[in-house]
Amino acid sequence: MDNNKIILDIENVSQWFETRQGILNVLHEINLQIVQGQFVSLVGPSGCGKSTLLNAILGTVPPKKGTISAGGIPVLGPNRNVGMVYQHRSLYDFMTTEDNVAFGLMLDQTNLFQRLFMPWYWWPLRKKHMEEARELLNKFKLGHAHKHYPEELSGGMKQRVSVAQSLIMKPKILLLDEPFSALDEAMKQEFQEMLLGLYQENLEAKKKGEPPPYTVIMITHSIEQAFYVSDRIIGLSKNWNDEERGQAGKTFGATKMWDKCAPVYHPDDPRDFDLFFAAQQELNQVVLREDAPDADRNDHVSFWSDLEKGVGTGVTMLRSNQ
Amino acid sequence: MARIKQPMSNRRRIILGIVGIAFIVVGYSVLSNIQKNRNPSDTTIPNLTQFQDGFVEIFKPRKSELEALLNPDAPAKPPWIVVDVWATYSRLFKAMVWASFISVVLGTLMGCYATIESLFSWSLSFLSKIPPTAMLAVFLVIATIFKWDQNMMFIMLVGFGITPTLIQSIYLAAKYDLHKDEIDKAYTLGASNIELIWNVVLRKILPKIIDGIRLTIGPAMVYLIAAEYSLGSEGFGYRIRMQGRMLNMNVVYIYLTFLGMTGLLMGQSMIGIRKLVCPWFGSK
């Protein structure tokens, strides 16, 4: 635990909305601590509040109850500490790929006055931003497309550019909203490999005693993708009960029903599909099935206790200079 | 038989375009010929020779008979076409520039801020429904009160005619063309509100702004020509009225053709500008 820095702290977060039919409870008392360098997948059936939680972390729809802090700073609105890659509209269609990637640097390091009236200051900086953007695009194997507009890119390329656009800002946390849903199989593979490559950088940084550079939280419908690219899986569901309130999930909203680590493989290493399959089956039983029997909400929440026991894989298990 | 919306080659398109123009020319020539046979001194449907006279007339430097008598050495005034082009197009240009500036600022702010939207949307809808030519009498009174000259009055009239509609089109583009995710994304990249408006909203809706301005050139011309026709002492509307009264249609038709050609040129120029500054727009 001492070895791991908490980068995202979600404390007792509940969210509800007022509708014509009355109060709609969406999330109930979510507690979640994400360690720097983790790749976390957030899974759950449709309507369980995954996007609501993501919006709360992003700061666009703050929770009605509870607090969220990113890197120790309370999240009060969208800001540059939390990067976001949307399913469809992350890139600006009026900018080329390199402009899209360099956009954040421009906003971060200059202001409008400097850009409009101080060309001697702005133009050399602009050149530097473009070089940085191209460097990152080359890293994501997109160097050849730096002058293309988003319309001219495939779905997978767009997603990789979106990730580059966010990562160039070095956000404390990167949120991915259904990144695989609009991609075909080949593109999914490409994007998976890119994410796994980033995760390997985290592992190497941790081994050297440096802070892992990327922390990713991803919403996905696909359990398969969740297991392939995450080292921890969080499941949200309304199928929960507790001793005091009985079958409470349907009334109070979804809560964290699953929190376990998952194995992450090097992109070139073979995967243990049997292990994936068994975990998927269990997760499906507890979290995803609409008719799943209600379970105690702590039955499958074992990430931190497993960590203390030394069970698991990934960045959280690595000691610095290991 | 061609299917509906069946594509066509460029060559064929050009040939058909030329055929369309040829139809008009031939139709006109036939009509003119028929009329000339009925009445050889008719000027309502002029023939080629009469058009030549019309050209000479509008390009001729002018000096009134009285001026020539009183001061024979005084330089002649510029030809009609020069006076009228300057009068009409300088009014149009000034009105368009002011209307566009006000519309871009107000329309964008209305699309971005609900408070400004609520403040102006109803009143703009109301104003846009009043035909500006019906407001001529009001403008005449206002011009007298504020001691506006004729140019100023026409500019204000055209501005009144096109600004509400242009504001509305820009406001709708700013409100609906930009998805919430695109705005939130800019905030996650560290944009301030003013940067978001300048770097994201305006750039995103720029093609719509250019198209909006292009589409208001036509109505602006209608309002301006109508105003000049009623109250002007120079400009295309004035000249068309004066020459029309004398049935000098060889001059009127040349003026109308000139208006059509310049309108077409302005429209195409705006499309060219849009393609130049927004190459991403409609690329697929």
Side-chain angles (χ1 to χ4, degrees):
Chain A
M1 181 77 184
D2 298 337
N3 189 40
N4 295 315
K5 183 186 169 192
I6 302 294
I7 198 82
L8 178 72
D9 192 2
I10 299 176
E11 213 170 305
N12 218 23
V13 160
S14 295
Q15 181 68 292
W16 61 87
F17 300 105
E18 284 170 24
T19 65
R20 284 182 188 175
Q21 286 77 35
I23 301 286
L24 175 70
N25 289 304
V26 181
L27 295 174
H28 183 71
E29 292 172 0
I30 308 272
N31 286 291
L32 191 60
Q33 283 77 40
I34 306 288
V35 172
Q36 187 170 24
Q38 279 195 311
F39 275 36
V40 178
S41 279
L42 206 57
V43 297
S46 293
C48 75
K50 302 185 295 286
S51 297
T52 307
L53 184 59
L54 204 75
N55 285 332
I57 298 169
L58 185 64
T60 50
V61 187
K64 299 275 192 322
K65 192 181 144 200
T67 55
I68 298 175
S69 52
I73 303 162
V75 176
L76 302 171
N79 64 81
R80 56 149 302 167
N81 286 334
V82 183
M84 179 77 193
V85 173
Y86 288 103
Q87 193 178 340
H88 293 298
R89 293 186 185 83
S90 276
L91 297 176
Y92 296 108
D93 48 11
F94 49 84
M95 292 184 198
T96 59
T97 305
E98 63 181 358
D99 284 336
N100 262 296
V101 177
F103 188 44
L105 293 176
M106 178 189 89
L107 295 169
D108 197 43
Q109 294 172 16
T110 61
N111 59 43
L112 191 57
F113 182 84
Q114 290 166 335
R115 295 196 291 274
L116 290 179
F117 302 111
M118 295 167 67
W120 61 92
Y121 173 81
W122 162 231
W123 289 350
L125 211 54
R126 166 94 178 148
K127 203 177 155 201
K128 196 173 138 259
H129 292 167
M130 286 303 175
E131 279 164 13
E132 277 183 56
R134 259 171 252 158
E135 208 174 294
L136 196 57
L137 286 169
N138 283 333
K139 180 178 165 182
F140 289 166
K141 295 174 189 163
L142 287 162
H144 63 284
H146 69 282
K147 285 285 176 202
H148 289 196
Y149 284 97
E151 275 287 298
E152 298 160 342
L153 304 177
S154 69
M157 288 164 90
K158 276 186 203 172
Q159 288 293 48
R160 283 185 284 154
V161 178
S162 305
V163 172
Q165 186 192 42
S166 293
L167 286 186
I168 204 163
M169 300 295 291
K170 300 187 173 65
K172 292 191 164 63
I173 302 152
L174 177 63
L175 306 176
L176 308 179
D177 185 7
E178 297 282 3
F180 295 102
S181 63
L183 307 183
D184 64 28
E185 282 308 314
M187 289 177 190
K188 274 181 192 168
Q189 180 97 19
E190 268 179 15
F191 193 60
Q192 245 178 49
E193 279 170 16
M194 193 199 90
L195 290 175
L196 291 174
L198 294 177
Y199 192 76
Q200 291 306 315
E201 284 184 46
N202 277 356
L203 292 173
E204 278 155 29
K206 191 79 183 274
K207 280 177 193 167
K208 285 183 203 161
E210 294 164 6
Y214 313 112
T215 307
V216 174
I217 300 174
M218 173 175 73
I219 283 189
T220 179
H221 271 107
S222 161
I223 307 183
E224 205 174 281
Q225 299 300 339
F227 274 100
Y228 281 173
V229 296
S230 324
D231 62 357
R232 182 178 173 187
I233 294 181
I234 312 279
L236 295 180
S237 171
K238 289 181 179 174
N239 302 325
W240 61 275
N241 60 31
D242 62 21
E243 285 175 4
E244 290 169 21
R245 292 174 285 194
Q247 290 182 320
K250 304 284 187 291
T251 315
F252 294 103
T255 197
K256 189 175 74 177
M257 288 282 287
W258 183 283
D259 185 358
K260 290 185 181 183
C261 71
V264 183
Y265 294 86
H266 188 277
D268 301 330
D269 288 348
R271 292 159 185 171
D272 184 348
F273 288 101
D274 290 342
L275 189 72
F276 279 166
F277 187 70
Q280 276 179 31
Q281 289 289 92
E282 199 184 353
L283 181 63
N284 202 29
Q285 283 287 338
V286 177
V287 174
L288 291 172
R289 272 177 53 185
E290 290 291 329
D291 59 343
D294 288 359
D296 189 290
R297 59 174 163 161
N298 294 316
D299 282 355
H300 299 277
V301 175
S302 61
F303 176 78
W304 291 106
S305 56
D306 286 347
L307 192 63
E308 275 172 23
K309 286 180 218 160
V311 178
T313 55
V315 284
T316 46
M317 299 302 294
L318 281 181
R319 297 259 152 213
S320 296
N321 300 318
Q322 194 172 349
Chain B
M1 187 156 172
R3 293 190 315 276
I4 290 171
K5 292 201 175 184
Q6 187 176 329
M8 186 189 283
S9 70
N10 268 345
R11 189 163 165 261
R12 205 166 176 189
R13 199 180 289 277
I14 291 166
I15 291 170
L16 286 175
I18 293 168
V19 169
I21 294 169
F23 264 127
I24 296 173
V25 173
V26 170
Y28 181 87
S29 306
V30 170
L31 270 178
S32 174
N33 211 24
I34 293 168
Q35 191 65 8
K36 281 282 163 302
N37 287 339
R38 280 190 198 153
N39 175 11
S41 59
D42 178 79
T43 57
T44 55
I45 310 178
N47 60 15
L48 202 59
T49 323
Q50 287 171 309
F51 273 124
Q52 279 173 346
D53 296 342
F55 264 108
V56 171
E57 193 69 16
I58 64 173
F59 281 102
K60 191 166 69 182
R62 304 246 150 216
K63 196 185 264 189
S64 70
E65 282 178 16
L66 185 67
E67 269 178 332
L69 206 67
L70 293 175
N71 188 4
D73 299 331
K77 284 182 181 169
W80 284 347
I81 190 80
V82 175
V83 173
D84 295 332
V85 163
W86 174 251
T88 298
Y89 286 98
S90 66
R91 287 166 186 160
L92 180 75
F93 179 75
K94 285 173 191 165
M96 292 296 297
V97 167
W98 278 108
S100 305
F101 177 74
I102 293 167
S103 304
V104 168
V105 173
L106 197 57
T108 308
L109 289 175
M110 281 175 71
C112 292
Y113 292 101
T115 317
I116 302 174
E117 180 193 7
S118 313
L119 201 63
F120 289 107
S121 62
W122 286 0
S123 46
L124 278 172
S125 297
F126 169 73
L127 287 176
S128 65
K129 301 293 179 292
I130 303 175
T133 42
M135 291 279 284
L136 263 177
V138 179
F139 273 99
L140 205 59
V141 172
I142 296 172
T144 316
I145 294 169
F146 291 102
K147 297 191 171 69
W148 288 346
D149 63 6
Q150 205 179 60
N151 276 337
M152 184 65 172
M153 188 176 73
F154 291 153
I155 290 166
M156 295 300 276
L157 180 105
V158 174
F160 176 83
I162 60 173
T163 309
T165 320
L166 194 53
I167 291 175
Q168 280 181 319
S169 71
I170 293 171
Y171 142 63
L172 290 175
K175 188 175 165 91
Y176 296 111
D177 283 13
L178 214 76
H179 195 272
K180 190 181 163 295
D181 291 352
E182 291 175 287
I183 294 169
D184 289 339
K185 178 80 193 195
Y187 282 128
T188 67
L189 296 173
S192 63
N193 285 350
I194 184 81
E195 285 175 322
L196 210 155
I197 290 174
W198 183 260
N199 290 103
V200 177
V201 180
L202 280 174
R203 283 192 66 187
K204 173 97 181 182
I205 65 169
L206 188 59
K208 296 282 180 81
I209 293 175
I210 296 172
D211 274 348
I213 294 171
R214 179 172 67 86
L215 294 173
T216 50
I217 292 174
M221 275 310 257
V222 171
Y223 305 143
L224 183 58
I225 299 295
E228 287 177 345
Y229 194 95
S230 311
L231 303 169
S233 58
E234 58 185 14
F236 273 66
Y238 164 76
R239 196 70 60 200
I240 288 169
R241 176 168 63 109
M242 298 308 283
Q243 296 303 306
R245 274 183 182 177
M246 292 183 276
L247 290 182
N248 289 338
M249 303 312 276
N250 54 349
V251 173
V252 173
Y253 290 155
I254 291 171
Y255 265 61
L256 293 181
T257 311
F258 192 89
L259 280 175
M261 298 290 274
T262 46
L264 201 66
L265 192 70
M266 280 189 278
Q268 288 303 314
S269 306
M270 295 297 280
I271 292 172
I273 290 170
R274 193 197 67 202
K275 282 183 180 166
L276 192 72
V277 296
C278 312
W280 53 274
F281 186 74
S283 59
K284 256 193 178 178

